[in-house]
Each structure stands twice: as structure tokens, then as C-alpha cells.
Amino acid sequence: MANTVSQHQARTAHPGLKAWVDEIATLTQPDQVHWCDGSVEEQGLLVQTLIDAGTVEKLSETRRPGSLLARSDPADVARVEDRTFICAQREVDAGPNNHWRDPEEMRATLHALFEGSMRGRTMYVVPFSMGPLGSPISYIGVQLTDSAYVALSMRVMTRMGQPALDVLGADGDFVPCVHSVGAPLLDGAKDVPWPCNGENKYIVHYPETREIWSFGSGYGGNALLGKKCFALRIASVMARDEGWLAEHMLILKVTSPEGEARYIAGAFPSACGKTNLAMVVPTLPDWKVETIGDDIAWMKFGEDGQLYAVNPESGFFGVAPGTGARTNPNAVDMVSRDTVFTNCARTDDGDVWWEGMTGEPPAHAIDWRGQDWTPDSESPAAHPNARFTVQAARCPSMAPEWEDPAGVPISAIMLGGRRPNVIPLVHEATDWEHGTFMGSIMSSETTIAQAGEVGKLRFDPMAMLPFCGYHMGDYFAHWLTVAQREGARMPRIFYVNWFRRDDDGAFLWPGFGENSRVLAWIFRRITGEGEAVQTPIGLLPPVGEGGIETDGLDVSPETMAELLAVDTEGWLAQLPQFREHLERFGDKLPPELIAQLDALEERLRAG
Ligand code: OXD
Ligand code: MN
């Protein structure tokens, strides 16, 4: 019978919420409805449910205490951008950066898909807060899901359960998120370990009504709807309407040897080492870097005109492969217990393993598909998008104020991508408008090894291309408009590039902990002590005295000079691609950005 209430009943006086839950239960016809309270007992129940279903297995209590390993269906391993839709009333409001569908047509499609889609399953009602509970920067969402794995993951990634319902009260606003793996169990059919609907995925956003509907996938950003769907795509629309910023940015706290602290946000496209940078261990003596967030920043103006940021999440959903003692020792420590791993390999002693975790692979493992694996196997042991899901509180580098409801004041924003050439190690924008232009032309190069592809740029403005819930031209305009607010004290903007290579393809800059040297220069610039030279592309650290601290760094002065040079020819050669990219946004492109491009060209030509 639809909507049979189990012992996990609603503890809310919110009539709108109750009516909506009833409506979705009537549509999707689950066997039971479980209102999540977020308790430890409930966590135990979810884990047991997942073990019984064969979705997860427990890892060795001695090797990896309190931890689980899940293996997904091979048809459900990553975010599906081509199945992600923005259903604004008007196509022009979704923009060329999104897949648009008519909202009425999409509602009809989804109604047919969701009808009976939870039969034979439990529907979990997952109330959650994005951001610290009750913070003026935070918002409440409620996800309805037929996946216990998703409910358990939401408990890690968000402030989930009764406290979120308490904040919502009897009449608060919430973002409704409906999720089904799209695999009803008809007439007592036997379940599979990872139910999904590989052929029929829909990740749908209605920006005007601030709703999310997701069908067919149980994996990551497709299914944990607080993250990319709410905290970026829907929140970017809310931020535009309300005059704040919802960004794909990490947040760091940097403390100088003198004990002064500043907060820096950073936008980097997926797969550019954001989580590693968020947890970086500085090599520069006496500097300290702590973590506020690794993926998303919500920033609202404080009374002093500064932007105050919170990390809306409360956990990390990080890529496992490549995470090791050299690249991210804090993450290695963080995932040593109480972690859910997905699509990693399992070692014979009941631990997990992935490429890049240790120098030496295990002699034998069970790979992410459940097959025997040895170092001679042709495919990797862990899926390249294998993940760890772990509470932020487990991260040794969390700054104590990461949960401060007031947020942290942001002094600088870093932008960056993977660029083997042209873009220097770091340069600073002359002002907010110039920085917005820099963000608008952010790009990563397609692999340098591909013949004919050298210099081909893939643009990802502000690292938001897959995550901006509206027209990117309007998004650029929003960046320009927020800075015009009376009394606004905008962060300084810096463009960094850790990925420069020499002619043989070797990295020029060692990266990882050495990136603290660049953070230190940025810090000195924002406190007014750091030196910079004016160039056609912006402000650069002087090479040598007063620039990037190089004591103890294994990089030659010639290489430093190369890393900090302005490659005038290289920049000029890329201007046509910048122009073509910006022109994609048509009438909605703010004229200021074309003026910035023209001015850059003029400065480069003048030398
Ligand atoms: C992520 C992404 O998983 O950006 O954070 O893809
Ligand atoms: Mn991300």
C-alpha cells in the first residue's frame, strides 16, 4: 500500500512538507516511507539494509574501522552532463551552457517515469541543511529517495535529519528534491546490489520553482542532490535573484608566520586537484593552511561590505585515485576510518586500494567490478572516478571556524585550470571587472600529446560551465553587478596555473605543498605587503627579490623566470579563441567583457 508509515514518522508541523511527501508517495508508490532523523541508530539501520542488499560490504575493522565499500553498476559511475536539464520557462534563460527542455513537456515525461517507480522499495524523506544549521547563509532542502545508499551519503555530505526539520519549522521554505533509482521491484522481484536505470537517466532542474527531479542514477552528483544540483545549479539562480554568489570554489584559511589569517576561495574545473589544494600541507616554513571547504562556496555580503562564505556541505565526496601520502596526506589520514568508499578495489586483507594510493600495488585485489585483479591486469583496479565519502570533521586540516554560521570573510578568489603553456604560475587582476574577464576565459587545454590538438582550449568559465543553472551571459553580468553594491569590498582575483610543462612534457612547477609559496604571495598582496609588476596581462610577482619565496625550492631561477614570464605571442595567438568563446553568449554577454578583451589585445600589441 502506498505511503504506509513505518516507525520512522514525520516529526514536523509543516503542512506543505507533509502534503508534498504524501503527493510524491502517491505517485511513486513505495512500500514504506521512512522520515530520516539523522541519528546514529538510523545510520546503523541504513548500513545493515545496504549490507543485506549486497550494495556495500564492511571493510576490515583493523585495517579500515567503521568503513564500507560499495560497487556501483558499471552503467552508473559518474555525473551525466548530457542527461542534465535546465527547464526554465524560456530557452533563452537556460543559455547555450545548458540542455534546455520545455518544463511542461519534461513534467509529463517525469510523471510517467516516476509513476510507481519506488514500488517494492522504501522512500526515505531526507531533510537537510546546506550550510551550518540556522545560518543566514544556509538553506534547507528535502530529498525523497528510494536509495538507502543515498540517504546514508546525505547524512555525511549534509546536516541531515531532525535538526534540519527543526530549522524549517512549520512554514519555512525548502528546495524539494525528488530522486528515484528508477528500478521498481514488481511482484516481489529480487533486487540487484546497485539498482539504477542505466539507459534512462534524467537530472532535471526547474529554476523558477527551485525544484530538482533525478531519475535513473544512484551515483554522486546525479543522486546526492544537495551538491551540484542544489548548491550550484539551483543556488546559482537563487544567488542571482538575491544578490549573492554560489560558486564551484574551495575555501582555504591561510595563516602567516606573524599569525595573521586570511580566507581565500578558489575556482578550478573538475579534475584540477581542488581537494588536494583545499587540504594542502605547506612546505613554506611557519605558514599554515587550513580547510573550510573543497568544492562549493556560498558567499553573502556582511554589513562591512565583505563577502562571507560558508561551505554548504559537511563532508567530502572526493576522487580516490591519485590520493596518496605525497599528493594529500590529510586526506589519507581522513579516510583511515568511518568512510564509505565507492568503486575502489578491495585488497585480500579487507582494505581498499586505488591507483596512486601507494607506490607499490597489492599483488592481488578484487577490482571495482568485483573481478580478480593483479598488477598485470589491463584495466585499473579502481574506477578512475572511484570516490570516498567522509565527514569533514574527520579532516585533520579543518579550520575550527568551518562551521561558523557567520561564514568567513573572503579576501581573494583564485581561478585556475590545466594549462601546459602560456598562462603564468600566478597573475593578479587589476580590479574586479578584469578578474571577471579572467574568470570568463578560464580554460584547460585538451591533451598536449594529441597531434593537431595542441593549443585547443576547452573553456570552463569560473569552473561553472556544467553547474550554472542559467545563461552564462547573465551569470557574467551578475558577477559585474554584485560588485556595484553600495559599500562592496570585493575580494582580489588571482589566476594560478600549477600545470606548466617544458618541451618534453615534464612539469615546470612541483605543485602540491609547494603551492603554498604562491598562496603566501597572494596573502602578501592582499595584506598590502607584496610586490607586483604591471604587465599587459595583469600583475605578476617580480622574479627574485620580493616575489615568490624560493628558499628550499628545487626549481632553477631560469625555470622561475619562465613560469612568471608573459608569453606575448602565446597570448596573442589565443585571443581569437577567447573571442569566439565569449561570442557564444550572444546578446547576453556583458559589453564590459569584450571591452576587456579588446584592451588586453591592445596592451599585448603595445608590448
Ligand atoms: C566534483 C566535480 O565531483 O566537480 O566535484 O565533478
Ligand atoms: Mn566539483
Side-chain angles (χ1 to χ4, degrees):
M1 189 188 105
N3 199 12
T4 306
V5 178
S6 71
Q7 70 272 33
H8 300 277
Q9 298 191 11
R11 294 223 321 265
T12 176
H14 197 300
L17 172 59
K18 287 203 266 196
W20 172 68
V21 171
D22 283 348
E23 180 195 323
I24 301 301
T26 302
L27 173 67
T28 59
Q29 301 162 31
D31 277 3
Q32 332 176 46
V33 176
H34 171 137
W35 286 72
C36 289
D37 60 15
S39 65
V40 174
E41 294 72 39
E42 180 177 82
Q43 179 195 14
L45 184 112
L46 292 168
V47 169
Q48 197 52 52
T49 302
L50 289 165
I51 292 174
D52 293 346
T55 313
V56 304
E57 60 182 296
K58 264 196 154 82
L59 293 166
S60 152
E61 267 310 307
T62 44
R63 314 261 346 158
R64 210 53 79 161
S67 299
L68 303 169
L69 173 63
R71 274 188 208 100
S72 81
D73 186 302
D76 195 23
V77 293
R79 285 190 292 104
V80 282
E81 286 174 19
D82 58 332
R83 304 297 304 159
T84 298
F85 302 98
I86 299 292
C87 300
Q89 289 296 336
R90 304 184 316 163
E91 183 168 5
V92 67
D93 291 329
N97 45 302
N98 283 304
H99 301 292
W100 177 82
R101 288 282 193 285
D102 176 79
E104 289 321 309
E105 276 172 33
M106 184 57 94
R107 282 191 195 280
T109 303
L110 291 182
H111 194 277
L113 288 170
F114 276 89
E115 192 160 27
S117 74
M118 296 190 188
R119 282 168 69 186
R121 301 192 181 280
T122 298
M123 180 172 93
Y124 297 94
V125 181
V126 183
F128 59 96
S129 174
M130 295 312 287
L133 285 158
S135 158
I137 309 178
S138 302
Y139 290 90
I140 299 290
V142 181
Q143 177 163 349
L144 308 183
T145 177
D146 55 6
S147 161
Y149 169 87
V150 167
L152 182 69
S153 302
M154 287 295 284
R155 187 176 183 277
V156 176
M157 297 304 297
T158 71
R159 285 96 175 161
M160 177 272 242
Q162 191 61 42
L165 283 183
D166 295 343
V167 169
L168 187 63
D171 57 1
D173 288 336
F174 65 94
V175 170
C177 312
V178 186
H179 171 247
S180 172
V181 294
L185 290 169
L186 305 179
D187 303 326
K190 197 170 152 11
D191 205 358
V192 293
W194 187 279
C196 65
N197 197 327
E199 299 301 304
N200 218 6
K201 294 178 188 160
Y202 283 85
I203 320 297
V204 178
H205 310 72
Y206 297 98
E208 283 106 357
T209 49
R210 298 179 181 175
E211 279 169 86
I212 302 163
W213 289 71
S214 165
F215 184 87
S217 167
Y219 202 86
N222 299 333
L224 313 180
L225 301 184
K227 195 175 180 62
K228 304 299 188 182
C229 297
F230 180 175
L232 289 174
R233 296 195 193 95
I234 293 295
S236 61
V237 173
M238 295 162 70
R240 175 200 62 191
D241 294 348
E242 297 166 9
W244 53 282
L245 294 172
E247 300 295 337
H248 190 204
M249 291 183 188
L250 57 78
I251 313 167
L252 290 176
K253 176 185 183 186
V254 182
T255 307
S256 69
E258 300 80 43
E260 256 194 84
R262 291 288 184 281
Y263 300 92
I264 302 177
F268 299 85
S270 308
C272 284
K274 222 149 114 238
T275 303
N276 294 346
L277 182 60
M279 298 175 193
V280 72
V281 178
T283 49
L284 207 51
D286 304 323
W287 286 80
K288 192 166 168 190
V289 179
E290 291 162 278
T291 313
I292 304 281
D294 81 325
D295 196 36
I296 299 172
W298 281 359
M299 298 182 273
K300 291 190 180 171
F301 285 100
E303 275 171 15
D304 60 0
Q306 292 193 84
L307 284 174
Y308 282 77
V310 298
N311 168 9
E313 302 186 279
S314 68
F316 298 111
F317 179 67
V319 176
T323 304
R326 192 178 74 86
T327 60
N328 195 340
N330 280 320
V332 170
D333 186 335
M334 166 173 86
V335 303
S336 63
R337 59 178 308 145
D338 301 330
T339 301
V340 179
F341 298 92
T342 306
N343 288 346
C344 299
R346 181 169 58 71
T347 61
D348 294 344
D349 57 1
D351 200 357
V352 275
W353 189 81
W354 51 76
E355 281 69 19
M357 177 201 255
T358 51
E360 194 60 17
H364 174 263
I366 301 296
D367 74 8
W368 70 275
R369 289 190 164 90
Q371 312 285 324
D372 283 309
W373 183 92
T374 70
D376 293 333
S377 298
E378 290 197 341
S379 50
H383 187 278
N385 192 36
R387 297 279 179 152
F388 52 77
T389 310
V390 60
Q391 250 147 15
R394 280 223 31 86
C395 176
S397 59
M398 288 318 276
E401 62 273 47
W402 80 275
E403 298 210 83
D404 188 341
V408 295
I410 298 297
S411 302
I413 291 174
M414 290 183 287
L415 311 166
R418 268 175 199 275
R419 292 293 306 269
N421 50 36
V422 184
I423 306 281
L425 178 61
V426 57
H427 66 297
E428 181 186 343
T430 46
D431 57 25
W432 180 261
E433 187 181 297
H434 180 219
T436 303
F437 166 70
M438 281 180 173
S440 75
I441 55 157
M442 253 172 73
S443 56
S444 278
E445 237 135 44
T446 48
T447 79
I448 44 164
Q450 275 169 307
E453 290 287 355
V454 179
K456 188 107 186 85
L457 304 183
R458 194 179 41 209
F459 290 95
D460 187 356
M462 285 82 164
M464 282 290 278
L465 200 64
F467 305 122
C468 180
Y470 60 103
H471 194 301
M472 202 97 213
D474 288 333
Y475 169 86
F476 297 145
H478 177 58
W479 265 59
L480 296 173
T481 310
V482 284
Q484 273 144 30
R485 181 192 163 103
E486 172 117 25
R489 290 162 58 197
M490 301 309 283
R492 303 265 280 272
I493 299 182
F494 298 81
Y495 196 144
V496 301
N497 178 22
W498 322 128
F499 299 99
R500 287 288 294 273
R501 292 179 189 254
D502 65 16
D503 294 341
D504 300 325
F507 284 110
L508 292 177
W509 177 252
F512 304 112
E514 302 294 16
N515 293 340
S516 58
R517 297 170 188 275
V518 176
L519 294 176
W521 181 74
I522 292 174
F523 183 103
R524 296 290 188 213
R525 289 293 300 157
I526 55 194
T527 55
E529 309 146 288
E531 288 180 35
V533 283
Q534 184 82 51
T535 78
I537 61 167
L539 298 151
L540 267 91
V543 180
E545 198 71 17
I548 306 272
E549 172 66 63
T550 53
D551 263 9
L553 175 69
D554 190 18
V555 175
S556 71
E558 297 71 40
T559 301
M560 280 312 293
E562 192 178 342
L563 283 164
L564 295 172
V566 178
D567 173 3
T568 306
E569 289 312 308
W571 278 90
L572 281 170
Q574 289 182 351
L575 294 181
Q577 290 181 66
F578 292 172
R579 200 171 290 278
E580 192 188 331
H581 151 68
L582 289 177
E583 281 170 356
R584 260 182 89 199
F585 302 109
D587 291 352
K588 286 191 180 271
L589 182 75
E592 290 90 336
L593 298 187
I594 288 294
Q596 283 283 340
L597 182 63
D598 292 340
L600 171 64
E601 177 158 10
E602 211 167 285
R603 293 193 304 268
L604 286 164
R605 292 205 189 282

Short mmCIF file of all heavy atoms in Angstrom, two decimals, residues 79 227-228 232 248 268-271 274 294-296 387 467, ligand 2:
data_model
loop_
_atom_site.label_atom_id
_atom_site.label_comp_id
_atom_site.label_asym_id
_atom_site.label_seq_id
_atom_site.Cartn_x
_atom_site.Cartn_y
_atom_site.Cartn_z
N ARG A 79 28.79 11.58 -13.03
CA ARG A 79 27.75 12.55 -13.38
C ARG A 79 27.47 12.46 -14.88
O ARG A 79 28.39 12.24 -15.67
CB ARG A 79 28.21 13.97 -13.04
CG ARG A 79 28.18 14.31 -11.58
CD ARG A 79 28.41 15.78 -11.34
NE ARG A 79 29.75 16.20 -11.68
CZ ARG A 79 30.09 16.88 -12.77
NH1 ARG A 79 29.17 17.24 -13.65
NH2 ARG A 79 31.33 17.22 -12.99
N LYS A 227 24.32 18.58 -3.56
CA LYS A 227 25.64 19.04 -4.01
C LYS A 227 25.55 19.87 -5.30
O LYS A 227 25.30 21.08 -5.24
CB LYS A 227 26.54 17.80 -4.18
CG LYS A 227 28.03 18.11 -4.30
CD LYS A 227 28.81 16.81 -4.35
CE LYS A 227 30.31 17.01 -4.48
NZ LYS A 227 30.96 17.72 -3.38
N LYS A 228 25.76 19.25 -6.44
CA LYS A 228 25.79 20.02 -7.69
C LYS A 228 24.41 20.57 -8.05
O LYS A 228 24.29 21.70 -8.54
CB LYS A 228 26.32 19.16 -8.84
CG LYS A 228 27.68 18.53 -8.58
CD LYS A 228 28.76 19.56 -8.37
CE LYS A 228 30.14 18.92 -8.30
NZ LYS A 228 31.19 19.90 -8.04
N LEU A 232 24.77 24.27 -6.40
CA LEU A 232 25.28 25.03 -7.54
C LEU A 232 24.16 25.42 -8.53
O LEU A 232 23.92 26.59 -8.72
CB LEU A 232 26.41 24.28 -8.25
CG LEU A 232 27.69 24.24 -7.41
CD1 LEU A 232 28.76 23.37 -8.05
CD2 LEU A 232 28.25 25.65 -7.16
N HIS A 248 31.51 27.26 -7.59
CA HIS A 248 32.23 25.97 -7.57
C HIS A 248 33.65 26.24 -7.06
O HIS A 248 34.61 26.23 -7.84
CB HIS A 248 32.23 25.42 -8.99
CG HIS A 248 32.72 24.01 -9.13
ND1 HIS A 248 33.23 23.51 -10.30
CD2 HIS A 248 32.77 22.98 -8.24
CE1 HIS A 248 33.56 22.25 -10.14
NE2 HIS A 248 33.31 21.90 -8.90
N PHE A 268 38.27 25.97 -9.64
CA PHE A 268 39.06 25.14 -10.55
C PHE A 268 38.11 24.12 -11.16
O PHE A 268 37.29 23.55 -10.45
CB PHE A 268 40.16 24.39 -9.79
CG PHE A 268 41.16 25.30 -9.13
CD1 PHE A 268 40.91 25.81 -7.87
CD2 PHE A 268 42.33 25.67 -9.77
CE1 PHE A 268 41.82 26.67 -7.25
CE2 PHE A 268 43.23 26.52 -9.17
CZ PHE A 268 42.99 27.03 -7.90
N PRO A 269 38.26 23.85 -12.47
CA PRO A 269 37.40 22.83 -13.07
C PRO A 269 37.61 21.47 -12.40
O PRO A 269 38.63 21.25 -11.74
CB PRO A 269 37.89 22.78 -14.53
CG PRO A 269 38.59 24.07 -14.76
CD PRO A 269 39.16 24.47 -13.45
N SER A 270 36.65 20.57 -12.58
CA SER A 270 36.78 19.21 -12.05
C SER A 270 38.11 18.63 -12.53
O SER A 270 38.55 18.92 -13.64
CB SER A 270 35.63 18.34 -12.56
OG SER A 270 34.40 18.98 -12.32
N ALA A 271 38.74 17.81 -11.67
CA ALA A 271 39.99 17.12 -12.02
C ALA A 271 41.19 18.05 -12.16
O ALA A 271 42.08 17.82 -12.96
CB ALA A 271 39.83 16.28 -13.29
N LYS A 274 41.45 20.17 -6.83
CA LYS A 274 40.83 21.08 -5.85
C LYS A 274 40.87 20.52 -4.43
O LYS A 274 41.18 21.25 -3.48
CB LYS A 274 39.38 21.29 -6.27
CG LYS A 274 38.95 22.70 -6.13
CD LYS A 274 37.93 23.10 -7.14
CE LYS A 274 36.62 23.41 -6.48
NZ LYS A 274 35.53 22.59 -6.97
N ASP A 294 36.01 22.13 0.06
CA ASP A 294 36.82 21.68 -1.09
C ASP A 294 36.09 21.78 -2.42
O ASP A 294 36.68 21.47 -3.45
CB ASP A 294 37.30 20.24 -0.89
CG ASP A 294 36.22 19.22 -1.25
OD1 ASP A 294 35.03 19.50 -1.02
OD2 ASP A 294 36.57 18.14 -1.77
N ASP A 295 34.81 22.19 -2.41
CA ASP A 295 34.10 22.12 -3.69
C ASP A 295 33.17 23.30 -3.96
O ASP A 295 33.07 23.74 -5.10
CB ASP A 295 33.29 20.81 -3.75
CG ASP A 295 32.84 20.43 -5.16
OD1 ASP A 295 33.61 20.69 -6.11
OD2 ASP A 295 31.74 19.89 -5.30
N ILE A 296 32.48 23.77 -2.91
CA ILE A 296 31.43 24.77 -3.15
C ILE A 296 31.52 25.88 -2.10
O ILE A 296 31.77 25.60 -0.92
CB ILE A 296 30.03 24.10 -3.10
CG1 ILE A 296 29.94 23.01 -4.19
CG2 ILE A 296 28.91 25.12 -3.29
CD1 ILE A 296 28.72 22.14 -4.12
N ARG A 387 35.31 6.97 -5.48
CA ARG A 387 35.16 8.08 -4.53
C ARG A 387 35.26 7.62 -3.09
O ARG A 387 34.99 6.47 -2.76
CB ARG A 387 33.77 8.70 -4.71
CG ARG A 387 33.54 9.31 -6.10
CD ARG A 387 34.16 10.67 -6.19
NE ARG A 387 33.98 11.29 -7.49
CZ ARG A 387 33.93 12.61 -7.69
NH1 ARG A 387 34.04 13.45 -6.67
NH2 ARG A 387 33.80 13.10 -8.89
N PHE A 467 27.64 23.70 -14.16
CA PHE A 467 26.93 23.88 -12.88
C PHE A 467 26.12 25.17 -12.77
O PHE A 467 25.45 25.40 -11.76
CB PHE A 467 27.94 23.83 -11.72
CG PHE A 467 28.77 22.58 -11.71
CD1 PHE A 467 30.15 22.62 -11.77
CD2 PHE A 467 28.15 21.33 -11.67
CE1 PHE A 467 30.92 21.46 -11.77
CE2 PHE A 467 28.91 20.16 -11.68
CZ PHE A 467 30.29 20.22 -11.73
MN MN B 2 33.34 19.88 -8.08
#
